[in-house]
Amino acid sequence: MLELVDVRTGYGRSEVIHGVSLEVPPDGVAAVLGHNGAGKTTLLRAAVGLLPVRSGSVRFDGEDVTALRPSARVARGLAYVPQGQQSFGQLTTAENLQVVADGRRRGRALMAEALDLFPALTGLLDRRAGLLSGGQRQQLAIARALITEPKMLILDEPTEGIQPSVVAEIERTIIELTGRGDLGVLLVEQHIGFALNAARQCHVLASGRIVSSGPGGAAAGTDVDKALSEVRSAMAI
């Protein structure tokens, strides 16, 4: 569904990503793990089109989208939830969702479906997003992205700075959504256990290069404890 082929990119004269290749299935999760500064967010920005690719290619749903603007990629079914629980702070929870739903043929139904996935938001519809907790804002950000009916959801550190109970809720939702067979997820994460549980395939990024790849806990027969040990060893490189 989403394929990065020998992608190189960076900022100014500095190359941050050095020939990274990976695939994200159309009905599962691929996770990219790595320490701060490894290049994870830079890689996602290249996949979304917010950062130009210097060489290599980005393919989505069988089409080369390397030269397409982010808006064109979104129109084809790509959704991006950046790091930092972003929302329109002065708008209510309901208004944050409505902004995306307005103009969509199934807007009202899509809002209801998103709230079913994150029921904690139902009681917060009249509260300004700026007053929500970090975990609630993260659920709101993901719910907003899902209203666009994406084929591919890209999540940058969705568990950063939020409480374990909300991490578990986000993990459950991701596994449920990909289990339906019509959504792929590219997940960047430092929470190793969360990533391994949700992902079919895990890649460890270090200094802008993939240094290790292997099955995650969502792959049938995977020994999660063994996979966890291997990922930690790779991240220690």
Side-chain angles (χ1 to χ4, degrees):
M1 170 66 77
L2 178 66
E3 184 180 8
L4 307 184
V5 182
D6 198 24
V7 168
R8 294 177 179 271
T9 189
Y11 305 93
R13 296 184 179 180
S14 299
E15 184 173 277
V16 178
I17 299 298
H18 312 289
V20 168
S21 297
L22 61 85
E23 294 184 27
V24 186
D27 57 352
V29 180
V32 177
L33 301 161
H35 295 300
N36 286 334
K40 303 186 301 298
T41 294
T42 299
L43 183 65
L44 293 194
R45 287 173 60 83
V48 175
L50 295 171
L51 191 63
V53 171
R54 295 179 177 179
S55 66
S57 63
V58 179
R59 300 188 62 82
F60 179 51
D61 204 14
E63 178 185 5
D64 189 332
V65 299
T66 311
L68 295 185
R69 294 174 179 269
S71 58
R73 301 186 199 196
V74 170
R76 284 161 172 75
L78 196 65
Y80 176 46
V81 180
Q83 191 175 12
Q85 303 124 25
Q86 296 186 16
S87 62
F88 300 107
Q90 296 303 312
L91 300 183
T92 66
T93 298
E95 289 167 341
N96 266 270
L97 298 173
Q98 193 69 53
V99 163
V100 183
D102 279 348
R104 294 188 173 273
R105 184 175 58 83
R106 297 182 55 245
R108 188 181 297 274
L110 291 168
M111 278 186 62
E113 291 169 11
L115 290 170
D116 284 343
L117 290 168
F118 296 107
L121 297 177
T122 304
L124 302 168
L125 291 177
D126 294 328
R127 184 174 300 180
R128 285 196 299 179
L131 300 178
L132 300 178
S133 70
Q136 291 163 347
R137 287 196 304 275
Q138 188 62 278
Q139 291 179 81
L140 176 58
I142 297 173
R144 260 203 334 254
L146 292 172
I147 290 175
T148 68
E149 298 183 280
K151 298 176 183 177
M152 179 66 56
L153 181 63
I154 297 181
L155 301 173
D156 191 358
E157 301 277 14
T159 70
E160 182 184 35
I162 61 178
Q163 63 192 55
S165 62
V166 179
V167 172
E169 182 72 11
I170 291 173
E171 179 184 321
R172 178 198 63 76
T173 301
I174 290 173
I175 292 173
E176 177 184 339
L177 288 168
T178 54
R180 297 175 183 177
D182 58 358
L183 178 70
V185 175
L186 175 56
L187 170 70
V188 153
E189 190 51 77
Q190 286 196 57
H191 192 303
I192 301 175
F194 167 81
L196 280 175
N197 285 333
R200 184 181 301 175
Q201 190 77 10
C202 289
H203 307 277
V204 177
L205 191 69
S207 300
R209 294 179 171 85
I210 297 290
V211 296
S212 177
S213 295
T222 297
D223 184 330
V224 175
D225 288 337
K226 180 181 178 182
L228 182 60
S229 176
E230 290 174 351
V231 167
R232 283 176 171 159
S233 295
M235 289 179 68
I237 293 175

Short mmCIF file of all heavy atoms in Angstrom, two decimals, residues 4 24 30 37 40 46 52 63 90 128 190 236:
data_model
loop_
_atom_site.label_atom_id
_atom_site.label_comp_id
_atom_site.label_asym_id
_atom_site.label_seq_id
_atom_site.Cartn_x
_atom_site.Cartn_y
_atom_site.Cartn_z
N LEU A 4 8.26 2.97 0.62
CA LEU A 4 9.38 3.89 0.49
C LEU A 4 10.53 3.11 -0.10
O LEU A 4 10.90 2.03 0.40
CB LEU A 4 9.79 4.46 1.85
CG LEU A 4 8.69 5.11 2.70
CD1 LEU A 4 9.29 5.71 3.96
CD2 LEU A 4 7.92 6.14 1.92
N VAL A 24 4.52 -0.74 4.03
CA VAL A 24 3.44 -0.78 5.00
C VAL A 24 2.29 -1.55 4.36
O VAL A 24 1.83 -1.18 3.28
CB VAL A 24 2.96 0.63 5.40
CG1 VAL A 24 1.93 0.54 6.52
CG2 VAL A 24 4.13 1.50 5.82
N ALA A 30 3.03 -1.24 10.32
CA ALA A 30 4.49 -1.28 10.26
C ALA A 30 4.99 -0.21 11.22
O ALA A 30 4.55 0.94 11.16
CB ALA A 30 5.00 -1.03 8.85
N GLY A 37 16.37 11.76 17.57
CA GLY A 37 17.43 12.12 16.65
C GLY A 37 17.76 11.07 15.62
O GLY A 37 18.65 11.28 14.78
N LYS A 40 13.25 9.61 12.66
CA LYS A 40 11.91 9.03 12.50
C LYS A 40 10.91 10.04 11.94
O LYS A 40 10.20 9.76 10.97
CB LYS A 40 11.41 8.47 13.84
CG LYS A 40 12.32 7.43 14.47
CD LYS A 40 11.72 6.81 15.71
CE LYS A 40 11.39 7.79 16.81
NZ LYS A 40 12.59 8.51 17.33
N ALA A 46 8.78 12.99 4.88
CA ALA A 46 9.04 12.67 3.48
C ALA A 46 7.92 11.81 2.90
O ALA A 46 7.50 12.00 1.76
CB ALA A 46 10.38 11.95 3.35
N PRO A 52 10.71 17.32 0.75
CA PRO A 52 10.98 16.71 -0.56
C PRO A 52 12.00 15.58 -0.47
O PRO A 52 12.92 15.61 0.33
CB PRO A 52 11.53 17.89 -1.38
CG PRO A 52 12.04 18.86 -0.37
CD PRO A 52 11.15 18.72 0.82
N GLU A 63 0.76 3.84 -6.97
CA GLU A 63 1.09 5.05 -7.73
C GLU A 63 2.33 5.72 -7.15
O GLU A 63 2.50 5.80 -5.93
CB GLU A 63 -0.09 6.02 -7.69
CG GLU A 63 0.15 7.35 -8.40
CD GLU A 63 -1.00 8.33 -8.22
OE1 GLU A 63 -1.95 8.02 -7.46
OE2 GLU A 63 -0.94 9.42 -8.82
N GLN A 90 -8.92 26.54 20.75
CA GLN A 90 -10.05 27.42 21.08
C GLN A 90 -11.40 26.83 20.66
O GLN A 90 -12.44 27.35 21.06
CB GLN A 90 -9.85 28.78 20.40
CG GLN A 90 -8.63 29.55 20.89
CD GLN A 90 -8.66 29.76 22.40
OE1 GLN A 90 -9.66 30.19 22.96
NE2 GLN A 90 -7.55 29.45 23.07
N ARG A 128 -13.54 22.88 25.39
CA ARG A 128 -12.53 23.36 24.46
C ARG A 128 -11.34 22.40 24.43
O ARG A 128 -10.91 21.90 25.47
CB ARG A 128 -12.07 24.76 24.84
CG ARG A 128 -13.09 25.83 24.50
CD ARG A 128 -12.47 27.21 24.53
NE ARG A 128 -11.94 27.55 25.84
CZ ARG A 128 -11.34 28.70 26.13
NH1 ARG A 128 -11.16 29.60 25.19
NH2 ARG A 128 -10.91 28.94 27.34
N GLN A 190 8.45 5.33 20.32
CA GLN A 190 9.54 4.98 21.24
C GLN A 190 9.08 3.97 22.28
O GLN A 190 9.90 3.33 22.93
CB GLN A 190 10.07 6.24 21.94
CG GLN A 190 10.90 7.14 21.05
CD GLN A 190 11.71 8.14 21.86
OE1 GLN A 190 12.50 7.78 22.71
NE2 GLN A 190 11.50 9.41 21.57
N ALA A 236 20.46 -0.37 20.76
CA ALA A 236 21.69 -0.08 21.51
C ALA A 236 22.90 0.10 20.62
O ALA A 236 23.98 0.46 21.06
CB ALA A 236 21.96 -1.21 22.50
#
